[in-house]
Amino acid sequence: MENCIFCKILRGDFGTEFVYENDYAVVFKDINPKADTHLLVVPRLHVESLNELDDEVLLGKLLITVKEVTKKLGIKSYRTVINTGKEAGQEVFHLHIHILSGNIKF
Ligand code: AMP
Ligand code: ZN
């Protein structure tokens, strides 16, 4: 999507470093970290929120991506968060999974 910040990141517009990527998603550091480690798992496909995603394979792959990147980084204990909708705190309307670990302020 043209004006979606995460789509722009996916296109490489800001030169954001991906700490992990696979066929389905990229993972990068949250710009405003709420924990020692705060990552965002972002599907390559633009989907506004969990409410708009019916693809069970992609849903599964996104959680597998969480496991892959935490394993790669040696993170054994972490919290995952998905904010769905403005009232729940969703600010970027491109589905993403937060991974938080260490001194979580969330
Ligand atoms: P949410 O409130 O669940 O929509 O989360 C959006 C998250 O994206 C927030 O934690 C922001 O800090 C983060 N964020 C916004 N813009 C960027 C960016 N350019 N690079 C990395 N993280 C970002
Ligand atoms: Zn997008």
Side-chain angles (χ1 to χ4, degrees), residues 33-46:
K34 301 270 191 340
D36 292 342
T37 302
H38 186 170
L39 304 173
L40 301 173
V41 175
V42 177
R44 292 186 186 275
L45 183 76
H46 179 90

Side-chain angles (χ1 to χ4, degrees), residues 31-88:
I31 204 168
N32 183 21
K34 301 270 191 340
D36 292 342
T37 302
H38 186 170
L39 304 173
L40 301 173
V41 175
V42 177
R44 292 186 186 275
L45 183 76
H46 179 90
V47 183
E48 270 198 27
S49 80
L50 190 58
N51 284 342
E52 280 75 38
L53 184 58
D54 297 321
D55 180 342
E56 60 206 53
V57 173
L58 179 55
L59 261 175
K61 293 286 186 187
L62 292 174
L63 284 178
I64 294 289
T65 305
V66 170
K67 282 163 54 93
E68 288 172 350
V69 68
T70 50
K71 189 176 178 191
K72 181 193 164 192
L73 299 179
I75 301 169
K76 291 200 174 74
S77 183
Y78 55 88
R79 180 178 299 167
T80 46
V81 174
I82 303 175
N83 295 318
T84 304
K86 206 167 149 198
E87 287 74 21

Side-chain angles (χ1 to χ4, degrees), residues 13 63 95:
D13 287 6
L63 284 178
L95 174 64

Side-chain angles (χ1 to χ4, degrees), residues 2-21:
E2 227 156 83
N3 284 319
C4 170
I5 183 110
F6 285 178
C7 283
K8 287 181 181 168
I9 288 174
L10 279 158
R11 287 199 297 265
D13 287 6
F14 307 121
T16 307
E17 186 198 339
F18 298 149
V19 300
Y20 187 78
E21 60 182 307

